[in-house]
Amino acid sequence: MSAIARRGLCLVLAAPSGAGKTAITRALLATEPRLHLSISVTTRAPRAGEVDGVHYHFRTEADFIRATRADELLEWAQVLKGSHYYGTPRAPVEAALAAGNDVVFDIDWQGHRQLRQKLPADLVGVFVLPPSLAVLEARLRTRAGDDEAEIVRRMRGARDEISHWGDFDHVLVNDDLADAVTAVRAILHAARLATARQTGLPGFISGLG
Ligand code: 5GP
């Protein structure tokens, strides 16, 4: 397909944790060279295997508060009530969009709501549902690093997160990872072709001859 200049877009994938959005995101990034991952800042401790600067920027609460005051975060939220803070660094997102690239965000409904307010024309929101809460709990239990209290807290958080499905442009059930990846890729490709996003169209049309 001809490369017509276009504005970058923000693809938000939200879901209760354990619904598979991290796996979907990884699979998308592997096949989409113009898609960048937004790496969040968090005050939670790394899980086994998580690397600072790759999975998250792990920071102290004092550092996090400093970043919010310095307006370095595009959005931020306390994802589970009374628990840790998470936020999206502004500079990498602005750089990617300015270069005509797309950014994928693994953030919660609160972050999605804030980004939608800030970038209404450039945001595509996808909500990923688990096939059932039983499947979600089983996935959380097989994941290393969370103790019983954290799993109970995450299951409570899951019900709350799911209650916000109506805020999103697209909703899908992840009962098969490959199918879910195909669906999200189709959403991304369609959004890239939105008329208003293709800033190079007037020039292309006039050059058609
Ligand atoms: P986890 O602790 O399992 O990595 O993430 C918990 C939740 O925090 C997930 O639902 C994830 O999408 C959300 N989250 C991660 N980064 C951010 C962020 O930068 N902003 C917001 N609002 N939520 C985030």
Side-chain angles (χ1 to χ4, degrees), residues 107-202:
I107 60 177
D108 81 331
W109 69 272
Q110 303 173 86
H112 169 258
R113 189 170 278 182
Q114 292 171 55
L115 285 190
R116 191 170 282 282
Q117 275 164 4
K118 289 202 171 146
L119 307 159
D122 292 320
L123 188 112
V124 181
V126 180
F127 196 84
V128 182
L129 286 167
S132 69
L133 288 179
V135 168
L136 190 73
E137 186 166 346
R139 286 184 192 159
L140 288 180
R141 286 185 184 285
T142 53
R143 183 162 78 178
D146 289 339
D147 61 18
E148 186 62 27
E150 183 69 16
I151 288 171
V152 170
R153 205 165 33 231
R154 283 179 184 276
M155 285 306 292
R156 211 176 298 129
R159 290 171 203 274
D160 182 43
E161 185 76 22
I162 289 170
S163 72
H164 296 282
W165 61 271
D167 290 354
F168 291 79
D169 300 306
H170 307 275
V171 179
L172 61 97
V173 178
N174 178 18
D175 47 15
D176 178 89
L177 180 60
D179 287 350
V181 172
T182 301
V184 178
R185 189 179 292 120
I187 291 166
L188 172 65
H189 287 187
R192 283 175 173 167
L193 294 178
T195 311
R197 179 153 293 111
Q198 299 191 73
T199 49
L201 270 177

Side-chain angles (χ1 to χ4, degrees), residues 6 13 43 51 76 85 153 186 194:
R6 63 175 180 85
L13 287 186
T43 59
V51 177
W76 63 273
Y85 293 93
R153 205 165 33 231

Side-chain angles (χ1 to χ4, degrees), residues 21 40 44 47 56 75 79 86-88 106-108 154:
K21 72 189 153 166
S40 297
R44 84 152 162 77
R47 294 195 187 104
Y56 279 105
E75 61 77 31
V79 170
Y86 296 79
T88 299
D106 175 342
I107 60 177
D108 81 331
R154 283 179 184 276

